[in-house]
């Protein structure tokens, strides 16, 4: 494991904790590190069942990461309608969908060459 990987693991843990605090569903981690020319090292993908829940999950992720890591997303998208919210933390990009949009865009199938791991709440 590289030093860089060790640095992002606590960030992933905080992101996932924020997701599970607001009952995010079907949480998966896509690992792109073995792929050439990837746009980042990881995607974290989940969904909520309403605009309110998607918004709550995104706020929870930002709060956890800010509180425990002192980091903010480099970029945010989708907060106007909360159908698909993207939080860009550089090496990690978080995708928070409403379920129907997650099923439609199906990022897991689009990036099927990545190592995909389903994450569970402890």
């Amino acid at each position: 494991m590289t030093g860089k990987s060790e640095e992002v693991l606590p960030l992933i843990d905080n992101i996932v904790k924020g997701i599970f605090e607001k009952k995010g569903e079907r949480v998966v981690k896509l690992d792109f590190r073995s792929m050439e020319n990837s746009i980042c090292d990881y995607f974290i993908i989940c969904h909520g069942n309403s605009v309110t829940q998607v918004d709550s999950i995104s706020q929870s992720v930002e709060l956890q990461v800010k509180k425990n890591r002192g980091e903010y997303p480099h970029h945010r998208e989708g907060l106007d309608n909360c159908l698909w919210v993207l939080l860009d933390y550089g090496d990690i990009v978080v995708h928070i969908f409403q379920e129907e949009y997650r099923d439609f865009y199906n990022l897991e199938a689009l990036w099927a060459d990545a190592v995909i791991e389903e994450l569970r709440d402890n």
Side-chain angles (χ1 to χ4, degrees), residues 31-79:
D31 183 341
F32 299 111
R33 292 175 298 162
S34 64
M35 297 173 59
E36 286 188 37
N37 303 317
S38 62
I39 57 173
C40 63
D41 289 344
Y42 298 96
F43 277 179
I44 305 295
I45 304 171
C46 71
H47 72 266
N49 295 307
S50 67
V51 168
T52 304
Q53 187 181 17
V54 168
D55 185 48
S56 293
I57 293 168
S58 66
Q59 288 181 33
S60 180
V61 167
E62 287 195 58
L63 180 64
Q64 281 298 319
V65 172
K66 182 178 105 179
K67 181 175 79 172
N68 295 313
R69 303 281 305 157
E71 296 181 47
Y72 297 85
H74 302 289
H75 186 73
R76 299 176 188 91
E77 285 190 35
L79 292 170

Side-chain angles (χ1 to χ4, degrees), residues 1 3 7 9 20 23 27 37 47 51 62 72 77 98:
M1 190 177 289
E7 291 173 15
L9 293 179
F20 283 128
K23 310 292 186 216
V27 182
N37 303 317
H47 72 266
V51 168
E62 287 195 58
Y72 297 85
E77 285 190 35
Q98 283 192 40

